[in-house]
Amino acid sequence: EERSLLGGLAGEISLALEHIAKDEMLRYLALYDPLTGLANRTQLAARVKTALREAKSHDKRVAVVVGDVTHFRFVNETFGRDAGDELLRTIAQRLASVWPDPADLARLTADHFAGVYAEAGDPTQIALFLRERLAPAVEAPFTRDGREIGIAFKAGVAVHPEDGLNAEALIKNAEAALSRAKATGERALFYRPEMTARIAETLLLENRLRRALGKDQFVLHYQPKVDTVTRGVKGVEALLRWVDDEGRMVPPAQFIGLLESSGMILDVGAWVIRRAVRDREAWRSLGLAPPRVAVNVSSIQLQQPDFVRDFLAAADDTGGGEVGIDIEITESLLMRDVEASIAKLAALRERGIGIAIDDFGTGYSSLAYLSRLPVTSLKIDRSFIATLGPSPESRTLVATIVSLAHSMRLPVTAEGVETEEQARLLRTLGCDEIQGYLVSRPQPAEALVALLAGDAAPRPPGKRPE
Ligand code: C2E
Ligand code: CA
Ligand code: CA
């Protein structure tokens, strides 16, 4: 009796299990491609939606990439469907081996693959990822029956929000971009031609920048900071320039961002420090008292765990002597990871390195926060100086910054001073140092010699403004 009961039970359980398995299978088939195990179009759309929601809160861009491989048809027809299936599975594995999150990959149609790329800060990063990581992984030859078949990957990209606001639009437009890429023979195209063009230009520039350090194409120009009253030189700021292959002097605004996004700023930043140290030595060997040199430090540098060690190494600090180099950091950069920044800056302070907050007034520093930072001076942003004459608001703001700084015993530098009128007002407002075209434009190290020797004092001390 028991045996037959158990037998019946077993039958029912196995029926139920079969049912569950079928149910799960159906659910699986509704969302995944059984051949490759990747998501299908429905599931991809869901992943795009999730990525769009998350991107909103993380300030990231979301891109949809649709790609296919050449020769799929050829493999299918020459070696049979099995070989075609094997090729598709191989491609799926290769894609999954480099994609940030393999769950974001899908197979859309026979030989169209797609992926959500949600890691990008800007579209250039996506182009770089496709070129440097994805293409090399996917394009390894495919071997069948002892024959090697070359594989080329083509891609179309649609970026949120420019190329579509929702999942369906992004997928559709990435497919449209892929068709265009195939028609024109390009390896990767963005949905909007302007974006492709802009990215190509950026990548070209980045390539040339990559070689700039080796070709010794960077130079430092120096701009003095002078005492507002005596006009005596208190220090100089090192400003980076790039002399490109055509001999053009490229201003930093056009390439600092690229150095930062590519990580090259670490090497170039170290070069800036070494160069500044060497230029100081050159001035010293001419019998001049070398001024302190302030270098601009980017957030990428400050965020490095070894920032302090690297900085001191580049400044060739042997532990005993005076470093002679100061740094300038914009206030917005300090806001990220405040505690770590404070510790690093404090370590530099201990070595006698001055720390100026650059572009002060443009960020959102709270007073409480500012008082915790181990800074040694504030630099008032150029935009407030430019409007100093006509705008009473600017005057109030500058006066406030000066009294705030002085209450914390910090000297204040005004940058971008172009007229005697501005210099006069700054003097009245109690600003300690000025810097700007009125005193001197940034100039090469050799040109600074005259100024340091006092032959070409920027303005005779004590000269009354008219
Ligand atoms: P910044 O640190 O605020 O530098 C001041 C900028 O104002 C410089 O532009 C300088 O040439 C310009 N300037 C100085 N006086 C005047 C003036 O009287 N009128 C006007 N209109 N402009 C004046 P520059 O050299 O083009 O540098 C731009 C920015 O690039 C710098 O802003 C700094 O943020 C960045 N930068 C420059 N060199 C480096 C570097 O070595 N490393 C890093 N990370 N950033 C750098
Ligand atoms: Ca600066
Ligand atoms: Ca500035």
Side-chain angles (χ1 to χ4, degrees), residues 14 51 139:
S14 79
E139 294 188 338

XYZ file of all heavy atoms in Angstrom, residues 14 51 139:
20
model
N 7.151 14.155 -10.288
C 7.931 14.285 -11.527
C 7.143 15.090 -12.561
O 7.710 15.861 -13.332
C 8.330 12.918 -12.070
O 7.255 12.332 -12.748
N 19.619 50.546 -17.281
C 20.836 51.359 -17.398
C 20.495 52.843 -17.460
O 21.168 53.668 -16.846
C 21.619 50.947 -18.641
N 38.073 39.988 -33.200
C 38.582 39.786 -34.554
C 39.678 38.737 -34.693
O 40.304 38.631 -35.739
C 39.037 41.132 -35.138
C 37.842 42.063 -35.337
C 38.172 43.323 -36.082
O 39.355 43.700 -36.104
O 37.241 43.925 -36.640
